[in-house]
């Protein structure tokens, strides 16, 4: 057993003994209720403008952040949701029993306090305590910055441990807590924006008999009563477009999706998307909507459209650059895939720029490998990549002037795809042919190819107006607007292997 672990175990036992002692004295270390009426930041701000005296008392709840006992008087700090405030406790004001309880408190203990404000000689706003209540004992010591062998280190710096014990991460890391508060604000602003644009928020099934709406491997589950296989949704797209058929002309959903695929700094198996569909819209309308949505949210959250991300300064000011898929690949690799005639030729050209496309089964899948490795990492400033090949876009409307391509775009910022949008395919006969082609690819071993969805074809046969669709990855957008380098930093509880 390491010395650190031995010390931790000893501290835990000491705190458990304190709980036993309190119970023997008839004190409940986990009382049923306490109602704060203030928080530290508002008290400090209020007192700076309108000082109050002993006649005005306040109730606060939070964690004991520091403590310095000096005989009959002690100083401490309380940390709550808004910040930190200094506390002053004396035996004369608290009484012998309550002061003894105060002195026995450990860092991290949740406490409820009552007191009045005053200012110390050093000018610090302080709460003079008149009562203290232990609300919940912090049995396990919180990680702190320590000094060992002359080196200062963070006892909770291990990233995997922080993700696994997010509840501790939120307690000790203010920046982490701010990131998730900002995430909540971002989601709220997206809702406000879409509602103001006339979109109706809806909910669609998360368990589906057919995994559709995206090229991804699904998670499989089973419904016992119905004795049927179900899939956790990989996208809500096909259900949302059924609603367009039904006459709900503008709909959106902030949805959880599940894809049984790799984990990286850009991917988590469970993630959040926003998908919106606009009847009588197209790729162009969705492009305008995307640009307006992201810039509006960024301005409200960051206060500027020029934001820092890592070592880059990203300028979100519209209009964003627009470039065709084949052109951006040619720009960064020198390969013009519109002129490539055979799969072997495509693989040779990919190999010439050191991209391994040996497992690819078509020219455009080779192109996508080259795009991912050569172009995507360089797309730092916002850009709309447009006009994707039809083969890679089984739900998008073909370009009337060039049927081998579709009306589709993806916005890229800081080397990452932020979203996906297109003019939706509403021809049931064309859609069925594309599904059939996807089924062939699936039978050939591509387990990310689309499944046949006969009911969706039936819905289209009732008629869907020309429609524009958009999906935006919320986690990646949060990464951008909070300067987070990993998607796990924007997800409260990312998927982890068991300990």
């Amino acid at each position: 057993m390491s010395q650190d672990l031995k010390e931790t175990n000893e501290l835990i036992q000491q705190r458990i003994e304190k709980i036993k002692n309190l119970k023997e004295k008839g004190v409940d270390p986990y009382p049923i209720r306490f109602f704060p009426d203030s928080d530290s930041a508002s008290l400090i701000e209020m007192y700076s403008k309108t000082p109050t005296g002993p006649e005005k008392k306040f109730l606060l709840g939070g964690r004991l952040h520091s403590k310095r006992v000096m005989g009959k008087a002690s100083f401490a700090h309380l940390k709550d949701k808004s910040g930190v405030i200094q506390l002053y406790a004396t035996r004369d004001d608290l009484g012998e029993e309550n002061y003894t309880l105060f002195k026995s408190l450990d860092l991290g203990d949740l406490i409820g306090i009552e007191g009045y404000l005053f200012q110390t000689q050093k000018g610090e706003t302080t709460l003079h305590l008149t009562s203290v209540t232990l609300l919940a004992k912090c049995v396990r010591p919180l990680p702190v910055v320590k000094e060992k062998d002359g080196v200062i280190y963070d006892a909770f710096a291990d990233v995997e441990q922080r993700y696994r014990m997010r509840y501790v991460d939120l307690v000790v890391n203010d920046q982490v807590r701010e990131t998730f508060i900002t995430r909540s604000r971002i989601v709220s602003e997206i809702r406000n924006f879409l509602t103001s644009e006339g979109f109706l928020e809806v909910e669609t099934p998360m368990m589906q008999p057919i995994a559709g709406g995206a090229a991804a491997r699904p998670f499989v589950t089973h419904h016992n009563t119905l004795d049927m296989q179900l899939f956790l949704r990989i996208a809500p797209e096909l259900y949302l477009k059924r609603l367009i058929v039904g006459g709900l002309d503008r709909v959106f959903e902030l949805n959880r999706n599940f894809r049984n695929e790799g984990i990286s700094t850009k991917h988590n198996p469970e993630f959040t998307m926003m998908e919106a569909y606009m009847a009588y819209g197209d790729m162009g309308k969705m492009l305008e909507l995307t640009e307006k949505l992201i810039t509006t949210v960024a301005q409200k959250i960051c206060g500027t459209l020029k934001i820092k991300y890592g070592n880059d300064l990203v300028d979100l000011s519209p209009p964003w650059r627009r470039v065709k898929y084949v052109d951006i690949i040619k720009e960064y690799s020198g390969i013009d895939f519109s002129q490539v005639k055979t799969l072997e030729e495509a693989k040779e050209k990919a190999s010439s720029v050191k991209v391994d496309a040996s497992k690819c089964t078509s020219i455009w899948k080779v192109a996508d490998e080259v795009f991912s490795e050569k172009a995507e990492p360089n797309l730092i400033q916002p850009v709309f990549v447009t006009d994707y090949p039809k083969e890679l876009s089984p739900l998008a409307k073909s370009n009337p002037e060039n049927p081998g391509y579709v009306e589709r775009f993806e916005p890229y910022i800081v080397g990452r795809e932020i979203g996906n949008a297109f003019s939706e395919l509403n021809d049931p006969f064309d859609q069925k042919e594309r599904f059939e082609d996807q089924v062939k690819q699936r039978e050939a071993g591509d387990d990310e190819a689309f499944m046949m969805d006969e009911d969706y074809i039936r819905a289209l046969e009732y008629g869907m107006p020309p429609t524009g669709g958009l999906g935006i990855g919320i986690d990646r957008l949060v990464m951008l607007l909070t300067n987070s380098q990993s998607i796990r930093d924007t997800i409260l509880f990312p998927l982890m292997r068991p300990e």
Side-chain angles (χ1 to χ4, degrees):
M1 181 184 295
S2 69
Q3 184 62 30
D4 283 349
L5 183 57
K6 182 179 179 181
E7 291 175 358
T8 298
N9 287 339
E10 289 175 354
L11 287 174
I12 291 173
Q13 288 304 315
Q14 290 172 13
R15 296 185 181 193
I16 291 173
E17 285 300 318
K18 289 182 180 181
I19 292 174
K20 291 179 180 178
N21 292 335
L22 287 172
K23 289 182 177 180
E24 288 173 358
K25 295 177 181 178
V27 177
D28 183 358
Y30 301 95
I32 193 169
R33 61 180 59 84
F34 180 84
F35 302 115
D37 59 17
S38 304
D39 62 68
S40 59
S42 62
L43 285 187
I44 292 171
E45 181 181 5
M46 180 272 294
Y47 192 79
S48 67
K49 298 175 181 177
T50 310
T52 58
E55 72 286 348
K56 179 64 174 175
K57 293 181 181 178
F58 304 93
L59 295 168
L60 278 78
R63 290 187 185 271
L64 189 65
H65 191 57
S66 72
K67 187 178 68 171
R68 183 161 49 96
V69 177
M70 302 174 296
K72 297 180 181 180
S74 301
F75 279 97
H77 284 90
L78 179 89
K79 185 175 184 180
D80 62 13
K81 64 180 181 180
S82 68
V84 176
I85 189 169
Q86 181 167 266
L87 312 178
Y88 177 63
T90 68
R91 188 179 65 183
D92 291 344
D93 287 303
L94 290 178
E96 186 71 42
E97 187 174 338
N98 216 212
Y99 188 61
T100 299
L101 170 65
F102 179 83
K103 291 193 296 181
S104 73
L105 294 173
D106 295 298
L107 300 188
D109 284 353
L110 283 160
I111 58 174
I113 55 176
E114 183 182 45
Y116 58 87
L117 293 170
F118 74 102
Q119 196 171 67
T120 64
Q121 290 182 346
K122 293 183 178 180
E124 184 171 359
T125 300
T126 302
L127 194 72
H128 190 132
L129 301 187
T130 55
S131 74
V132 178
T133 304
L134 176 62
L135 301 179
K137 190 69 180 171
C138 183
V139 178
R140 293 179 176 271
L142 292 172
V144 294
V145 175
K146 297 182 178 181
E147 186 171 347
K148 185 176 182 180
D149 300 327
V151 177
I152 295 177
Y153 70 99
D154 183 348
F156 201 53
D158 182 87
V159 174
E160 294 293 315
Q161 191 180 25
R162 287 177 46 222
Y163 294 152
R164 195 179 302 281
M165 297 194 295
R166 183 68 87 188
Y167 41 89
V168 179
D169 195 23
L170 291 166
V171 170
V172 300
N173 290 320
D174 292 343
Q175 184 55 52
V176 171
R177 190 166 57 257
E178 279 303 312
T179 293
F180 288 106
I181 292 172
T182 302
R183 179 189 173 107
S184 180
R185 292 178 55 216
I186 290 169
V187 171
S188 294
E189 292 296 344
I190 290 172
R191 276 198 168 96
N192 293 340
F193 173 84
L194 289 170
T195 301
S196 71
E197 292 287 323
F199 285 83
L200 177 71
E201 184 171 7
V202 297
E203 294 176 313
T204 61
M206 295 178 71
M207 293 193 300
Q208 303 176 354
I210 297 171
R217 186 185 306 166
F219 288 95
V220 183
T221 187
H222 186 269
H223 192 291
N224 291 334
T225 301
L226 298 177
D227 190 24
M228 64 183 292
Q229 177 178 267
L230 291 169
F231 303 95
L232 297 185
R233 73 173 169 206
I234 55 176
E237 177 169 341
L238 301 186
Y239 283 90
L240 290 171
K241 287 194 286 192
R242 285 173 168 92
L243 299 180
I244 297 292
V245 171
L248 299 179
D249 282 357
R250 293 191 177 196
V251 294
F252 80 95
E253 183 174 7
L254 281 155
N255 56 85
R256 302 292 285 180
N257 292 332
F258 307 85
R259 298 184 183 177
N260 199 352
E261 52 194 26
I263 296 175
S264 72
T265 56
K266 298 188 292 185
H267 301 90
N268 192 68
E270 179 182 1
F271 62 98
T272 305
M273 285 280 290
M274 185 289 297
E275 291 204 15
Y277 292 85
M278 177 195 296
Y280 310 106
D282 66 351
M283 182 193 81
K285 291 288 187 183
M286 303 319 286
L287 190 148
E288 294 171 6
L289 185 77
T290 303
E291 190 174 71
K292 186 178 178 182
L293 186 156
I294 293 177
T295 54
T296 298
V297 173
Q299 184 67 51
K300 290 193 174 184
I301 296 298
C302 303
T304 177
L305 294 180
K306 294 181 179 179
I307 61 176
K308 184 80 172 173
Y309 188 83
N311 296 322
D312 297 304
L313 183 64
V314 179
D315 188 355
L316 297 175
S317 303
W320 298 355
R321 182 189 179 198
R322 305 175 188 189
V323 59
K324 292 182 178 180
Y325 180 77
V326 291
D327 293 339
I328 200 73
I329 294 176
K330 184 178 179 181
E331 181 179 331
Y332 287 102
S333 72
I335 304 171
D336 185 353
F337 276 95
S338 67
Q339 302 301 313
V340 174
K341 304 301 182 185
T342 68
L343 177 59
E344 287 307 312
E345 180 189 357
K347 289 183 177 181
E348 288 175 7
K349 288 186 177 293
S351 180
S352 72
V353 292
K354 299 181 179 179
V355 174
D356 181 10
S358 58
K359 295 182 180 179
C360 293
T361 56
S362 71
I363 293 172
W364 289 117
K365 287 185 177 178
V366 174
D368 216 39
E369 287 292 326
V370 176
F371 172 82
S372 296
E373 292 193 30
K374 296 299 178 181
E376 186 174 333
N378 294 294
L379 305 181
I380 304 302
Q381 299 302 322
V383 57
F384 289 114
V385 179
T386 68
D387 297 81
Y388 278 72
K390 180 178 178 179
E391 178 190 318
L392 301 180
S393 313
L395 295 170
K397 197 92 165 169
S398 295
N399 186 323
E401 298 174 359
N402 195 345
Y405 298 85
V406 297
E407 292 197 353
R408 173 188 174 191
F409 72 83
E410 289 185 341
Y412 281 83
I413 311 175
V414 296
R416 284 193 296 268
E417 171 203 345
I418 298 293
N420 189 18
F422 33 83
S423 300
E424 300 294 337
L425 181 59
N426 63 342
D427 179 340
F429 306 101
D430 188 355
Q431 182 65 81
K432 187 169 184 179
E433 287 181 10
R434 296 202 205 180
F435 274 157
E436 288 170 345
D437 181 60
Q438 289 284 306
V439 169
K440 290 177 183 177
Q441 293 182 40
R442 194 173 188 84
E443 291 172 348
D446 184 354
D447 55 8
E448 292 191 352
F450 281 61
M451 300 177 185
M452 174 62 73
D453 190 335
E454 295 284 359
D455 180 70
Y456 179 65
I457 299 296
R458 180 170 59 188
L460 292 183
E461 289 173 346
Y462 281 93
M464 184 174 82
T467 297
L470 164 67
I472 290 179
I474 299 299
D475 308 305
R476 292 186 182 181
L477 181 60
V478 173
M479 288 175 67
L480 174 69
L481 299 183
T482 60
N483 196 9
S484 299
Q485 303 304 307
S486 171
I487 196 169
R488 291 184 172 191
D489 293 329
T490 69
I491 297 173
L492 279 168
F493 299 101
L495 186 65
M496 307 287 292
R497 291 184 187 277
E499 287 184 282

